[in-house]
């Protein structure tokens, strides 16, 4: 005859099962909320990138990311910064060139991609220019496992404040603009390579957590049913 488990063991088992089911279910609910947030984000970004451009603001917040803006002024090519990039065109650099706008502030513009072997030979238009592009938020603290090293001229992220401090750019807008253009162009830098894909796996994650909650509950019910059957013998 199988030995019955103690009341203390069953109470502890019930507590652990309750905590696990509650925790898994809470994670599932959180992923449902994340799913709604991600779908809203995708819809808002899609609306912004196809909207008519507005004048580039002096200040931008997270609510302005991927908004189309336009600015006129002149490029300060001697203060450009090359930031390491990995694109559909292969590895190379983003050409981050400050623009002295006709509205009295400096705007950092990602003019596009240039491969390492051509980093000295990209086009540098003189005089008044007009740039249309997407608002992008600053990328502080460097890239993945790599910190920016301004002294050595090694940049792994588009950190607006750090670039502005190193190049002595002031007053600077706290964001940068990814310039629009034809990504099939044969001249450098290559514009229009902004990635607008947003991974959306939250539905699968929610199903996983809810399934774990259900499995835990089923296992608990099975154990308690076996105990009840044993108590009746």
């Amino acid at each position: 005859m199988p030995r019955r488990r103690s009341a203390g063991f069953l109470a502890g088992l019930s507590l652990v099962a309750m905590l696990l089911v509650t925790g898994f279910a809470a994670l599932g609910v959180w992923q449902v909320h994340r799913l709604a947030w991600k779908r809203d984000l995708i819809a808002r970004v899609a609306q912004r990138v196809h909207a008519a451009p507005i004048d580039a603001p002096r200040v931008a917040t997270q609510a302005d990311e991927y908004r189309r803006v336009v600015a006129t002024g002149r490029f300060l090519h001697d203060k450009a910064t090359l930031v390491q990039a990995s694109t559909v065109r292969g590895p190379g650099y983003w050409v981050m060139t400050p623009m002295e706008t006709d509205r009295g502030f400096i705007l950092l513009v990602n003019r596009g991609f240039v491969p390492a072997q051509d980093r000295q030979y990209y086009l540098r238009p003189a005089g008044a220019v007009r740039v249309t592009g997407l608002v992008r938020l600053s990328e502080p603290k460097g890239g993945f496992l790599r910190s920016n090293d301004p002294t050595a001229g090694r940049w792994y992220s588009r950190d607006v404040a750090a670039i502005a401090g190193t190049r002595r750019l002031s007053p600077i807008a706290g964001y940068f603009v990814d310039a629009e253009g034809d990504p099939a162009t044969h001249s450098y830098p290559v514009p229009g390579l902004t990635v607008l894909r947003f991974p959306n796996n939250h539905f699968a994650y929610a199903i996983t957590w809810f399934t774990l909650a259900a499995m835990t509950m089923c296992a608990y019910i099975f154990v308690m049913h076996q105990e009840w059957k044993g108590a009746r013998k």
Side-chain angles (χ1 to χ4, degrees), residues 117-140:
Q117 66 271 18
D118 294 304
R119 58 184 174 178
Q120 300 298 330
Y121 307 109
Y122 60 87
L123 299 177
R124 295 170 172 82
V129 293
R130 177 184 175 90
V131 171
T132 301
L134 301 178
V135 170
R136 301 297 308 279
L137 300 184
S138 181
E139 301 169 344

Side-chain angles (χ1 to χ4, degrees), residues 42-93:
I42 293 172
R44 283 187 285 114
V45 168
Q47 183 180 34
R48 290 173 187 172
V49 299
H50 294 103
I54 64 172
D55 288 336
R58 175 66 179 82
V59 177
T61 66
Q62 192 167 12
D64 297 305
E65 190 166 21
Y66 297 107
R67 193 181 302 280
R68 288 185 76 216
V69 296
V70 61
T72 55
R74 67 181 186 91
F75 283 131
L76 306 177
H77 295 293
D78 59 325
K79 296 188 177 184
T81 298
L82 299 182
V83 179
Q84 286 200 6
S86 179
T87 73
V88 293
R89 291 252 186 152
Y93 297 93

Side-chain angles (χ1 to χ4, degrees), residues 76-198:
L76 306 177
H77 295 293
D78 59 325
K79 296 188 177 184
T81 298
L82 299 182
V83 179
Q84 286 200 6
S86 179
T87 73
V88 293
R89 291 252 186 152
Y93 297 93
W94 297 122
V95 179
M96 307 296 294
T97 305
M99 169 193 275
E100 191 173 52
T101 71
D102 55 11
R103 296 174 57 208
F105 63 89
I106 295 175
L107 179 65
L108 196 60
V109 178
N110 176 13
R111 296 184 54 217
F113 169 79
V114 61
Q117 66 271 18
D118 294 304
R119 58 184 174 178
Q120 300 298 330
Y121 307 109
Y122 60 87
L123 299 177
R124 295 170 172 82
V129 293
R130 177 184 175 90
V131 171
T132 301
L134 301 178
V135 170
R136 301 297 308 279
L137 300 184
S138 181
E139 301 169 344
K141 300 182 180 179
F144 180 66
L145 298 180
R146 295 182 296 183
S147 298
N148 292 324
D149 187 354
T151 303
R154 297 191 184 95
W155 296 91
Y156 303 104
S157 74
R158 294 165 290 190
D159 187 334
V160 175
I163 291 174
T166 301
R167 304 296 185 214
R168 294 181 173 84
L169 302 171
S170 180
I172 185 95
Y175 64 95
F176 64 93
V177 171
D178 275 351
E180 292 181 355
D182 182 6
T185 182
H186 295 292
S187 60
Y188 297 118
V190 179
L193 296 179
T194 305
V195 176
L196 292 173
R197 291 191 301 271
F198 300 94

Side-chain angles (χ1 to χ4, degrees), residues 186-215:
H186 295 292
S187 60
Y188 297 118
V190 179
L193 296 179
T194 305
V195 176
L196 292 173
R197 291 191 301 271
F198 300 94
N200 189 7
N201 300 314
H202 300 295
F203 180 76
Y205 294 154
I207 293 298
T208 298
W209 290 122
F210 286 136
T211 299
L212 287 172
M215 291 173 62

